[in-house]
Amino acid sequence: MDTYHVVLYIHLLALFVGVGAAAVLVVCLFKLRSAQTLSDAVPWGAVAGKTGRAFPIAILGLFGSGAYMTTDVWTWNTGWIDVAIAGLVILALQGPLVGERAGKKLEQALHENGPGPLGERARRMTRHRGLWVSEFSAIGIVLGVVWNMTEKPGTASSIAAVVVGYAVGALLAVHFTRAPAEELAAVAEPSA
């Protein structure tokens, strides 16, 4: 066993931490979206808030181990590596600047709602695009970077893989932020 393979193992562990945290957040988003009452929503919001702490660890682990492997085996001007670094930067910025801010807005809406059924504002905030797009597009970026790590394409193809991943994730997120059909029908019908 050489140092490179130990660092590769650490790189994969950091990836698993990020993917695991992303999976937990996706479950939280769907549970929040389907919550009918404050007591349904609060536990999932709390789990989401704590899960977000794993992402900086994953990003630092990926960058640190990736930097070692780049220096040891690759070069810093390798296209797919540059794209991976750019992807990490996007993840590091998008999470706190978009996802966490939207999460704080949801938390505030839940506090304002109070006990009992979720009001319109709280329900709308469970489908806030900032929450959903930041999460699903991040997963798309990661899948694009993993594709690049396995295929090692040129720079243009590497960028395309990450952009396509981001776009597919964002489109899925937009789909899931739409209000359920029964909610739209209730709004469209005049109240008696």
Side-chain angles (χ1 to χ4, degrees), residues 132-144 159-176:
W132 289 80
V133 171
S134 66
E135 179 61 21
F136 279 72
S137 66
I139 293 169
I141 288 171
V142 169
L143 292 175
I159 292 169
V162 172
V163 168
V164 167
Y166 188 97
V168 169
L171 288 172
L172 278 172
V174 168
H175 171 74
F176 291 126

Side-chain angles (χ1 to χ4, degrees), residues 49-72:
K50 294 196 184 328
T51 302
R53 298 176 186 165
F55 292 115
I57 295 165
I59 289 170
L60 289 173
L62 286 165
F63 181 76
S65 58
Y68 175 85
M69 291 186 297
T70 298
T71 303
D72 188 45

Side-chain angles (χ1 to χ4, degrees), residues 85-191:
I85 292 168
L88 279 177
V89 169
I90 292 168
L91 295 176
L93 293 174
Q94 180 175 267
L97 296 177
V98 179
E100 280 185 37
R101 285 184 181 176
K104 294 293 182 191
K105 289 178 184 178
L106 171 59
E107 181 181 19
Q108 181 183 11
L110 293 175
H111 283 295
E112 290 172 0
N113 188 86
L118 292 181
E120 174 55 31
R121 180 169 185 267
R123 291 183 60 74
R124 192 174 58 247
M125 289 306 299
T126 64
R127 295 184 308 273
H128 189 285
R129 286 197 175 160
L131 289 170
W132 289 80
V133 171
S134 66
E135 179 61 21
F136 279 72
S137 66
I139 293 169
I141 288 171
V142 169
L143 292 175
V145 169
V146 170
W147 172 265
N148 292 340
M149 286 170 41
T150 57
E151 294 298 314
K152 298 171 183 48
T155 304
S157 295
S158 296
I159 292 169
V162 172
V163 168
V164 167
Y166 188 97
V168 169
L171 288 172
L172 278 172
V174 168
H175 171 74
F176 291 126
T177 60
R178 294 191 177 125
E182 62 273 3
E183 212 174 293
L184 292 173
V187 171
E189 293 176 12
S191 42

